[in-house]
Amino acid sequence: MSSIEPIASPRGKTVAFSTDQRPDTLSVDKEQMHIAVSCILMNTLISGGDSISVHLRSDAESVSILVSDNGAQLSPGDIRDALSPFGFVGDLDTRATADLGLNLPMARTIAELHGGDLDVSSREGQNVYALRLPTWRMVGPDQAPQRTARTGKG
């Protein structure tokens, strides 16, 4: 994700990466997952606060990629709009970017195709975008995946 820094720095934003533990290998489409995380990051770079963090963690139920920022609190309606294709949060007349409103819907669709989901939560001073994948997506170095992703083919 080092490709994010050249985008973040000119906007006066910082991005920090962390993890609770050494992550296991994930059985996912790596290109699609890169797109999903990049979409979430681009959303925060365009409309989030100036401090962004990306945290990887796993528990008994899921592997989560948590992207958070210190931007303005989102209402439930804002979250619904942000997750809708072509949805836009804020005043359309004063919009400063050419954002199409596809970043979060695309990330959510990719997560769902991998058996997971994308959840957005917000409170004053913190917005959290949680891309969660089921633990069966984790594989050790000598293990084969237990399930495969849906491909959309018959």
Side-chain angles (χ1 to χ4, degrees):
M1 289 291 155
S2 62
S3 59
I4 294 299
E5 288 302 323
I7 299 168
S9 293
R11 295 173 187 258
K13 300 190 179 206
T14 60
V15 182
F17 297 88
S18 65
T19 183
D20 287 341
Q21 61 203 37
R22 183 175 178 271
D24 290 322
T25 300
L26 294 175
S27 176
V28 296
D29 183 312
K30 288 176 181 44
E31 289 178 17
Q32 284 187 10
M33 202 52 55
H34 184 266
I35 290 169
V37 173
S38 295
C39 284
I40 297 168
L41 283 169
M42 286 306 297
N43 184 75
T44 60
L45 288 169
I46 291 169
S47 59
D50 60 358
S51 179
I52 300 165
S53 69
V54 181
H55 185 74
L56 177 65
R57 77 168 186 217
S58 62
D59 57 33
E61 296 177 13
S62 65
V63 178
S64 300
I65 301 168
L66 307 169
V67 178
S68 61
D69 70 66
N70 63 342
Q73 184 173 2
L74 301 171
S75 71
D78 289 342
I79 293 171
R80 182 190 63 245
D81 291 345
L83 289 170
S84 299
F86 304 105
F88 178 74
V89 175
D91 184 358
L92 192 57
D93 294 329
T94 60
R95 184 164 113 169
T97 66
D99 180 29
L100 294 175
L102 294 174
N103 284 322
L104 295 181
M106 189 178 314
R108 181 177 59 185
T109 298
I110 292 169
E112 289 172 349
L113 288 171
H114 285 80
D117 62 13
L118 175 65
D119 180 57
V120 180
S121 61
S122 183
R123 65 174 198 250
E124 188 60 40
Q126 186 180 40
N127 301 307
V128 179
Y129 305 84
L131 190 154
R132 290 189 181 88
L133 299 172
T135 54
W136 57 260
R137 286 280 177 196
M138 292 190 307
V139 295
D142 298 324
Q143 293 176 312
Q146 296 173 10
R147 295 187 182 179
T148 57
R150 294 177 291 175
T151 62
K153 296 179 182 176

PDB file of all heavy atoms in Angstrom, residues 7-8 11 13 38-49 52 69 88-89 95-103 129:
ATOM      1  N   ILE A   7      -0.399  10.018  -2.694  1.00  0.00           N
ATOM      2  CA  ILE A   7      -1.723  10.623  -2.787  1.00  0.00           C
ATOM      3  C   ILE A   7      -2.064  11.329  -1.478  1.00  0.00           C
ATOM      4  O   ILE A   7      -2.639  12.414  -1.471  1.00  0.00           O
ATOM      5  CB  ILE A   7      -2.790   9.552  -3.118  1.00  0.00           C
ATOM      6  CG1 ILE A   7      -2.474   8.900  -4.469  1.00  0.00           C
ATOM      7  CG2 ILE A   7      -4.190  10.151  -3.118  1.00  0.00           C
ATOM      8  CD1 ILE A   7      -3.261   7.653  -4.757  1.00  0.00           C
ATOM      9  N   ALA A   8      -1.696  10.716  -0.359  1.00  0.00           N
ATOM     10  CA  ALA A   8      -2.045  11.256   0.958  1.00  0.00           C
ATOM     11  C   ALA A   8      -1.253  12.517   1.297  1.00  0.00           C
ATOM     12  O   ALA A   8      -1.824  13.503   1.779  1.00  0.00           O
ATOM     13  CB  ALA A   8      -1.812  10.199   2.033  1.00  0.00           C
ATOM     14  N   ARG A  11      -2.284  16.022   0.149  1.00  0.00           N
ATOM     15  CA  ARG A  11      -3.568  16.400   0.736  1.00  0.00           C
ATOM     16  C   ARG A  11      -3.439  16.704   2.228  1.00  0.00           C
ATOM     17  O   ARG A  11      -4.439  16.972   2.892  1.00  0.00           O
ATOM     18  CB  ARG A  11      -4.597  15.279   0.531  1.00  0.00           C
ATOM     19  CG  ARG A  11      -4.944  15.029  -0.921  1.00  0.00           C
ATOM     20  CD  ARG A  11      -5.839  13.799  -1.052  1.00  0.00           C
ATOM     21  NE  ARG A  11      -6.055  13.452  -2.430  1.00  0.00           N
ATOM     22  CZ  ARG A  11      -7.162  13.720  -3.100  1.00  0.00           C
ATOM     23  NH1 ARG A  11      -8.165  14.330  -2.518  1.00  0.00           N
ATOM     24  NH2 ARG A  11      -7.279  13.378  -4.357  1.00  0.00           N
ATOM     25  N   LYS A  13      -2.566  14.519   4.535  1.00  0.00           N
ATOM     26  CA  LYS A  13      -3.094  13.386   5.290  1.00  0.00           C
ATOM     27  C   LYS A  13      -1.981  12.399   5.590  1.00  0.00           C
ATOM     28  O   LYS A  13      -1.051  12.257   4.809  1.00  0.00           O
ATOM     29  CB  LYS A  13      -4.222  12.711   4.515  1.00  0.00           C
ATOM     30  CG  LYS A  13      -5.373  13.685   4.256  1.00  0.00           C
ATOM     31  CD  LYS A  13      -6.585  13.014   3.709  1.00  0.00           C
ATOM     32  CE  LYS A  13      -7.683  14.065   3.502  1.00  0.00           C
ATOM     33  NZ  LYS A  13      -8.990  13.487   3.557  1.00  0.00           N
ATOM     34  N   SER A  38      -7.945  -0.559  -1.560  1.00  0.00           N
ATOM     35  CA  SER A  38      -7.634   0.723  -2.206  1.00  0.00           C
ATOM     36  C   SER A  38      -8.871   1.600  -2.326  1.00  0.00           C
ATOM     37  O   SER A  38      -8.793   2.819  -2.140  1.00  0.00           O
ATOM     38  CB  SER A  38      -7.026   0.490  -3.595  1.00  0.00           C
ATOM     39  OG  SER A  38      -5.779  -0.154  -3.487  1.00  0.00           O
ATOM     40  N   CYS A  39     -10.016   0.992  -2.624  1.00  0.00           N
ATOM     41  CA  CYS A  39     -11.269   1.761  -2.712  1.00  0.00           C
ATOM     42  C   CYS A  39     -11.629   2.389  -1.368  1.00  0.00           C
ATOM     43  O   CYS A  39     -12.044   3.548  -1.307  1.00  0.00           O
ATOM     44  CB  CYS A  39     -12.411   0.867  -3.195  1.00  0.00           C
ATOM     45  SG  CYS A  39     -12.388   0.507  -4.952  1.00  0.00           S
ATOM     46  N   ILE A  40     -11.467   1.617  -0.301  1.00  0.00           N
ATOM     47  CA  ILE A  40     -11.763   2.162   1.030  1.00  0.00           C
ATOM     48  C   ILE A  40     -10.799   3.291   1.352  1.00  0.00           C
ATOM     49  O   ILE A  40     -11.200   4.355   1.837  1.00  0.00           O
ATOM     50  CB  ILE A  40     -11.706   1.052   2.101  1.00  0.00           C
ATOM     51  CG1 ILE A  40     -12.776  -0.004   1.831  1.00  0.00           C
ATOM     52  CG2 ILE A  40     -11.885   1.655   3.498  1.00  0.00           C
ATOM     53  CD1 ILE A  40     -12.615  -1.273   2.644  1.00  0.00           C
ATOM     54  N   LEU A  41      -9.511   3.079   1.065  1.00  0.00           N
ATOM     55  CA  LEU A  41      -8.524   4.126   1.325  1.00  0.00           C
ATOM     56  C   LEU A  41      -8.791   5.377   0.499  1.00  0.00           C
ATOM     57  O   LEU A  41      -8.675   6.502   0.994  1.00  0.00           O
ATOM     58  CB  LEU A  41      -7.112   3.600   1.067  1.00  0.00           C
ATOM     59  CG  LEU A  41      -6.545   2.713   2.162  1.00  0.00           C
ATOM     60  CD1 LEU A  41      -5.271   2.024   1.689  1.00  0.00           C
ATOM     61  CD2 LEU A  41      -6.282   3.526   3.421  1.00  0.00           C
ATOM     62  N   MET A  42      -9.135   5.205  -0.763  1.00  0.00           N
ATOM     63  CA  MET A  42      -9.432   6.378  -1.601  1.00  0.00           C
ATOM     64  C   MET A  42     -10.634   7.135  -1.057  1.00  0.00           C
ATOM     65  O   MET A  42     -10.654   8.372  -1.067  1.00  0.00           O
ATOM     66  CB  MET A  42      -9.681   5.963  -3.056  1.00  0.00           C
ATOM     67  CG  MET A  42      -8.411   5.582  -3.797  1.00  0.00           C
ATOM     68  SD  MET A  42      -7.113   6.859  -3.750  1.00  0.00           S
ATOM     69  CE  MET A  42      -7.915   8.186  -4.592  1.00  0.00           C
ATOM     70  N   ASN A  43     -11.622   6.416  -0.551  1.00  0.00           N
ATOM     71  CA  ASN A  43     -12.780   7.070   0.039  1.00  0.00           C
ATOM     72  C   ASN A  43     -12.354   7.942   1.222  1.00  0.00           C
ATOM     73  O   ASN A  43     -12.791   9.083   1.348  1.00  0.00           O
ATOM     74  CB  ASN A  43     -13.806   6.024   0.487  1.00  0.00           C
ATOM     75  CG  ASN A  43     -15.062   6.654   1.008  1.00  0.00           C
ATOM     76  OD1 ASN A  43     -15.880   7.142   0.251  1.00  0.00           O
ATOM     77  ND2 ASN A  43     -15.212   6.675   2.320  1.00  0.00           N
ATOM     78  N   THR A  44     -11.485   7.410   2.078  1.00  0.00           N
ATOM     79  CA  THR A  44     -11.047   8.194   3.229  1.00  0.00           C
ATOM     80  C   THR A  44     -10.135   9.343   2.804  1.00  0.00           C
ATOM     81  O   THR A  44     -10.179  10.414   3.404  1.00  0.00           O
ATOM     82  CB  THR A  44     -10.337   7.319   4.287  1.00  0.00           C
ATOM     83  OG1 THR A  44      -9.192   6.708   3.707  1.00  0.00           O
ATOM     84  CG2 THR A  44     -11.269   6.277   4.853  1.00  0.00           C
ATOM     85  N   LEU A  45      -9.326   9.146   1.770  1.00  0.00           N
ATOM     86  CA  LEU A  45      -8.464  10.225   1.288  1.00  0.00           C
ATOM     87  C   LEU A  45      -9.274  11.361   0.677  1.00  0.00           C
ATOM     88  O   LEU A  45      -8.921  12.525   0.816  1.00  0.00           O
ATOM     89  CB  LEU A  45      -7.454   9.690   0.273  1.00  0.00           C
ATOM     90  CG  LEU A  45      -6.340   8.833   0.850  1.00  0.00           C
ATOM     91  CD1 LEU A  45      -5.572   8.141  -0.268  1.00  0.00           C
ATOM     92  CD2 LEU A  45      -5.415   9.665   1.721  1.00  0.00           C
ATOM     93  N   ILE A  46     -10.365  11.022   0.023  1.00  0.00           N
ATOM     94  CA  ILE A  46     -11.207  12.037  -0.631  1.00  0.00           C
ATOM     95  C   ILE A  46     -12.086  12.755   0.383  1.00  0.00           C
ATOM     96  O   ILE A  46     -12.190  13.975   0.365  1.00  0.00           O
ATOM     97  CB  ILE A  46     -12.067  11.391  -1.741  1.00  0.00           C
ATOM     98  CG1 ILE A  46     -11.170  10.959  -2.906  1.00  0.00           C
ATOM     99  CG2 ILE A  46     -13.147  12.345  -2.224  1.00  0.00           C
ATOM    100  CD1 ILE A  46     -11.868  10.076  -3.914  1.00  0.00           C
ATOM    101  N   SER A  47     -12.716  11.989   1.273  1.00  0.00           N
ATOM    102  CA  SER A  47     -13.732  12.628   2.111  1.00  0.00           C
ATOM    103  C   SER A  47     -13.541  12.426   3.615  1.00  0.00           C
ATOM    104  O   SER A  47     -14.376  12.861   4.390  1.00  0.00           O
ATOM    105  CB  SER A  47     -15.121  12.107   1.711  1.00  0.00           C
ATOM    106  OG  SER A  47     -15.194  10.705   1.852  1.00  0.00           O
ATOM    107  N   GLY A  48     -12.459  11.792   4.025  1.00  0.00           N
ATOM    108  CA  GLY A  48     -12.249  11.540   5.445  1.00  0.00           C
ATOM    109  C   GLY A  48     -11.390  12.602   6.098  1.00  0.00           C
ATOM    110  O   GLY A  48     -11.066  13.629   5.505  1.00  0.00           O
ATOM    111  N   GLY A  49     -11.005  12.327   7.327  1.00  0.00           N
ATOM    112  CA  GLY A  49     -10.172  13.243   8.084  1.00  0.00           C
ATOM    113  C   GLY A  49      -8.724  13.205   7.636  1.00  0.00           C
ATOM    114  O   GLY A  49      -8.370  12.523   6.670  1.00  0.00           O
ATOM    115  N   ILE A  52      -5.417   8.847   9.011  1.00  0.00           N
ATOM    116  CA  ILE A  52      -6.024   7.593   8.560  1.00  0.00           C
ATOM    117  C   ILE A  52      -5.178   6.438   9.087  1.00  0.00           C
ATOM    118  O   ILE A  52      -3.948   6.493   9.036  1.00  0.00           O
ATOM    119  CB  ILE A  52      -6.087   7.547   7.021  1.00  0.00           C
ATOM    120  CG1 ILE A  52      -6.926   8.715   6.501  1.00  0.00           C
ATOM    121  CG2 ILE A  52      -6.618   6.210   6.532  1.00  0.00           C
ATOM    122  CD1 ILE A  52      -6.760   8.988   5.029  1.00  0.00           C
ATOM    123  N   ASP A  69     -10.641   6.900  10.092  1.00  0.00           N
ATOM    124  CA  ASP A  69     -10.171   8.268   9.934  1.00  0.00           C
ATOM    125  C   ASP A  69     -10.821   9.134  11.001  1.00  0.00           C
ATOM    126  O   ASP A  69     -11.764   8.722  11.661  1.00  0.00           O
ATOM    127  CB  ASP A  69     -10.461   8.801   8.525  1.00  0.00           C
ATOM    128  CG  ASP A  69     -11.936   9.038   8.243  1.00  0.00           C
ATOM    129  OD1 ASP A  69     -12.526   9.936   8.883  1.00  0.00           O
ATOM    130  OD2 ASP A  69     -12.507   8.344   7.385  1.00  0.00           O
ATOM    131  N   PHE A  88     -23.660   9.764  -2.774  1.00  0.00           N
ATOM    132  CA  PHE A  88     -22.756  10.850  -2.419  1.00  0.00           C
ATOM    133  C   PHE A  88     -23.159  11.411  -1.070  1.00  0.00           C
ATOM    134  O   PHE A  88     -24.337  11.618  -0.808  1.00  0.00           O
ATOM    135  CB  PHE A  88     -22.807  11.954  -3.484  1.00  0.00           C
ATOM    136  CG  PHE A  88     -21.937  13.118  -3.164  1.00  0.00           C
ATOM    137  CD1 PHE A  88     -20.561  13.031  -3.292  1.00  0.00           C
ATOM    138  CD2 PHE A  88     -22.490  14.296  -2.709  1.00  0.00           C
ATOM    139  CE1 PHE A  88     -19.747  14.096  -2.980  1.00  0.00           C
ATOM    140  CE2 PHE A  88     -21.688  15.379  -2.396  1.00  0.00           C
ATOM    141  CZ  PHE A  88     -20.313  15.277  -2.536  1.00  0.00           C
ATOM    142  N   VAL A  89     -22.171  11.664  -0.234  1.00  0.00           N
ATOM    143  CA  VAL A  89     -22.405  12.241   1.083  1.00  0.00           C
ATOM    144  C   VAL A  89     -21.946  13.687   1.036  1.00  0.00           C
ATOM    145  O   VAL A  89     -20.840  13.982   0.607  1.00  0.00           O
ATOM    146  CB  VAL A  89     -21.626  11.474   2.174  1.00  0.00           C
ATOM    147  CG1 VAL A  89     -21.766  12.156   3.523  1.00  0.00           C
ATOM    148  CG2 VAL A  89     -22.107  10.033   2.240  1.00  0.00           C
ATOM    149  N   ARG A  95     -19.181  20.134  -3.984  1.00  0.00           N
ATOM    150  CA  ARG A  95     -18.294  18.980  -4.099  1.00  0.00           C
ATOM    151  C   ARG A  95     -17.009  19.368  -4.835  1.00  0.00           C
ATOM    152  O   ARG A  95     -17.053  19.942  -5.907  1.00  0.00           O
ATOM    153  CB  ARG A  95     -19.032  17.874  -4.835  1.00  0.00           C
ATOM    154  CG  ARG A  95     -18.296  16.598  -4.965  1.00  0.00           C
ATOM    155  CD  ARG A  95     -19.273  15.535  -5.343  1.00  0.00           C
ATOM    156  NE  ARG A  95     -19.004  15.061  -6.683  1.00  0.00           N
ATOM    157  CZ  ARG A  95     -19.574  13.986  -7.191  1.00  0.00           C
ATOM    158  NH1 ARG A  95     -20.478  13.340  -6.495  1.00  0.00           N
ATOM    159  NH2 ARG A  95     -19.279  13.587  -8.384  1.00  0.00           N
ATOM    160  N   ALA A  96     -15.860  19.026  -4.240  1.00  0.00           N
ATOM    161  CA  ALA A  96     -14.581  19.427  -4.809  1.00  0.00           C
ATOM    162  C   ALA A  96     -13.901  18.320  -5.607  1.00  0.00           C
ATOM    163  O   ALA A  96     -12.830  18.522  -6.147  1.00  0.00           O
ATOM    164  CB  ALA A  96     -13.646  19.887  -3.695  1.00  0.00           C
ATOM    165  N   THR A  97     -14.503  17.153  -5.693  1.00  0.00           N
ATOM    166  CA  THR A  97     -13.863  16.046  -6.400  1.00  0.00           C
ATOM    167  C   THR A  97     -14.806  15.467  -7.442  1.00  0.00           C
ATOM    168  O   THR A  97     -16.002  15.736  -7.448  1.00  0.00           O
ATOM    169  CB  THR A  97     -13.480  14.918  -5.424  1.00  0.00           C
ATOM    170  OG1 THR A  97     -14.681  14.350  -4.890  1.00  0.00           O
ATOM    171  CG2 THR A  97     -12.603  15.423  -4.304  1.00  0.00           C
ATOM    172  N   ALA A  98     -14.230  14.659  -8.295  1.00  0.00           N
ATOM    173  CA  ALA A  98     -15.017  13.984  -9.324  1.00  0.00           C
ATOM    174  C   ALA A  98     -15.348  12.553  -8.897  1.00  0.00           C
ATOM    175  O   ALA A  98     -15.473  11.678  -9.722  1.00  0.00           O
ATOM    176  CB  ALA A  98     -14.248  13.991 -10.641  1.00  0.00           C
ATOM    177  N   ASP A  99     -15.476  12.327  -7.607  1.00  0.00           N
ATOM    178  CA  ASP A  99     -15.778  11.007  -7.075  1.00  0.00           C
ATOM    179  C   ASP A  99     -17.118  10.527  -7.625  1.00  0.00           C
ATOM    180  O   ASP A  99     -18.113  11.253  -7.571  1.00  0.00           O
ATOM    181  CB  ASP A  99     -15.812  11.078  -5.547  1.00  0.00           C
ATOM    182  CG  ASP A  99     -16.122   9.746  -4.902  1.00  0.00           C
ATOM    183  OD1 ASP A  99     -15.788   8.706  -5.497  1.00  0.00           O
ATOM    184  OD2 ASP A  99     -16.686   9.752  -3.795  1.00  0.00           O
ATOM    185  N   LEU A 100     -17.150   9.318  -8.141  1.00  0.00           N
ATOM    186  CA  LEU A 100     -18.381   8.774  -8.713  1.00  0.00           C
ATOM    187  C   LEU A 100     -19.270   8.078  -7.700  1.00  0.00           C
ATOM    188  O   LEU A 100     -20.374   7.665  -8.019  1.00  0.00           O
ATOM    189  CB  LEU A 100     -18.044   7.781  -9.837  1.00  0.00           C
ATOM    190  CG  LEU A 100     -17.392   8.372 -11.072  1.00  0.00           C
ATOM    191  CD1 LEU A 100     -17.019   7.254 -12.042  1.00  0.00           C
ATOM    192  CD2 LEU A 100     -18.321   9.369 -11.738  1.00  0.00           C
ATOM    193  N   GLY A 101     -18.787   7.883  -6.481  1.00  0.00           N
ATOM    194  CA  GLY A 101     -19.584   7.189  -5.480  1.00  0.00           C
ATOM    195  C   GLY A 101     -19.574   5.683  -5.662  1.00  0.00           C
ATOM    196  O   GLY A 101     -20.558   5.006  -5.353  1.00  0.00           O
ATOM    197  N   LEU A 102     -18.467   5.151  -6.166  1.00  0.00           N
ATOM    198  CA  LEU A 102     -18.379   3.709  -6.389  1.00  0.00           C
ATOM    199  C   LEU A 102     -17.357   3.008  -5.494  1.00  0.00           C
ATOM    200  O   LEU A 102     -17.296   1.787  -5.468  1.00  0.00           O
ATOM    201  CB  LEU A 102     -18.035   3.426  -7.860  1.00  0.00           C
ATOM    202  CG  LEU A 102     -19.111   3.830  -8.858  1.00  0.00           C
ATOM    203  CD1 LEU A 102     -18.606   3.631 -10.282  1.00  0.00           C
ATOM    204  CD2 LEU A 102     -20.383   3.051  -8.635  1.00  0.00           C
ATOM    205  N   ASN A 103     -16.542   3.761  -4.756  1.00  0.00           N
ATOM    206  CA  ASN A 103     -15.485   3.140  -3.957  1.00  0.00           C
ATOM    207  C   ASN A 103     -16.028   2.150  -2.925  1.00  0.00           C
ATOM    208  O   ASN A 103     -15.614   0.992  -2.897  1.00  0.00           O
ATOM    209  CB  ASN A 103     -14.642   4.213  -3.259  1.00  0.00           C
ATOM    210  CG  ASN A 103     -13.687   4.891  -4.207  1.00  0.00           C
ATOM    211  OD1 ASN A 103     -13.115   4.259  -5.081  1.00  0.00           O
ATOM    212  ND2 ASN A 103     -13.513   6.188  -4.033  1.00  0.00           N
ATOM    213  N   TYR A 129     -14.245   1.785   8.718  1.00  0.00           N
ATOM    214  CA  TYR A 129     -14.660   0.959   7.588  1.00  0.00           C
ATOM    215  C   TYR A 129     -14.041  -0.413   7.836  1.00  0.00           C
ATOM    216  O   TYR A 129     -12.819  -0.562   7.787  1.00  0.00           O
ATOM    217  CB  TYR A 129     -14.161   1.558   6.277  1.00  0.00           C
ATOM    218  CG  TYR A 129     -14.593   2.990   6.109  1.00  0.00           C
ATOM    219  CD1 TYR A 129     -13.880   4.034   6.682  1.00  0.00           C
ATOM    220  CD2 TYR A 129     -15.753   3.296   5.393  1.00  0.00           C
ATOM    221  CE1 TYR A 129     -14.295   5.357   6.546  1.00  0.00           C
ATOM    222  CE2 TYR A 129     -16.172   4.617   5.260  1.00  0.00           C
ATOM    223  CZ  TYR A 129     -15.443   5.632   5.837  1.00  0.00           C
ATOM    224  OH  TYR A 129     -15.854   6.931   5.715  1.00  0.00           O
TER     225      TYR A 129
END
